[in-house]
Amino acid sequence: MDWSRCIAYLTFHAPGLTPEPLRQPMGSWLYGCDVCQNVCPLNKGQWDPVSSEPYLDEIAQHLSPRSVLSMKEEFFHRVVYPQFFYHDDFVRWQVNALRAVGNSRDQGAEPLVRKHFSSSDERLRTMAAWAAECLLQP
Ligand code: SF4
């Protein structure tokens, strides 16, 4: 595999913003995709990919792209981060959410995208502009 195109790598390991040509193919994944784990023959019979995890069920409602875009940083560190201790970059979560709403053409998220036009973080400003362009497309 080409790890530089892996959604898991791009959503929480790669430095900087995801290169523009890769943003659209990443779709609306917020955090990895793990399709490889579901289809790997070595995992066959070793886990049940549809079973729920109570600790994740509790925070799942907060992990939609819209929720992440409207989330306060204090809430992220108190509620989300303890379950994702290796992904502590709150801005990156929001950058991923902007790419996700852009790709899903979620017109209802447009005010949340606009809110990030004036962010103090350049990554958020750049991805908000990219997402807004996506929302203008049919
Ligand atoms: S299937 Fe696995 S290797 Fe492929 S993009 Fe998803 S997480 Fe990465």
Side-chain angles (χ1 to χ4, degrees):
M1 65 167 280
D2 179 354
W3 56 267
S4 70
R5 300 175 68 86
C6 168
I7 293 171
Y9 173 74
L10 290 168
T11 50
F12 59 91
H13 275 310
L17 280 179
T18 297
E20 199 160 342
L22 297 181
R23 294 176 193 166
Q24 188 273 332
M26 289 172 72
S28 57
W29 293 103
L30 258 188
Y31 179 82
C33 87
D34 280 0
V35 168
C36 52
Q37 300 300 314
N38 291 341
V39 300
C40 176
L42 295 177
N43 283 339
K44 193 172 172 76
Q46 300 300 312
W47 72 344
D48 174 6
V50 297
S51 66
S52 67
E53 292 287 353
Y55 77 97
L56 286 178
D57 292 344
E58 286 176 16
I59 62 169
Q61 63 181 305
H62 304 299
L63 296 181
S64 71
R66 284 194 197 188
S67 295
V68 171
L69 286 178
S70 54
M71 190 177 288
K72 300 277 186 248
E73 189 162 5
E74 179 278 329
F75 181 89
F76 168 77
H77 286 291
R78 180 168 48 84
V79 176
V80 177
Y81 174 61
Q83 308 303 339
F84 294 88
F85 57 87
Y86 38 87
H87 185 7
D88 65 347
D89 186 346
F90 177 58
V91 168
R92 175 165 269 192
W93 276 92
Q94 292 200 311
V95 164
N96 289 335
L98 285 166
R99 190 243 321 125
V101 299
N103 279 333
S104 61
R105 306 285 194 275
D106 181 3
Q107 302 295 338
E110 198 247 355
L112 293 169
V113 171
R114 286 185 157 279
K115 189 182 86 171
H116 289 86
F117 285 175
S118 57
S119 169
S120 60
D121 192 294
E122 185 183 353
R123 293 174 293 172
L124 285 169
R125 291 197 306 273
T126 302
M127 196 60 86
W130 182 86
E133 286 290 319
C134 290
L135 293 180
L136 289 175
Q137 295 169 19

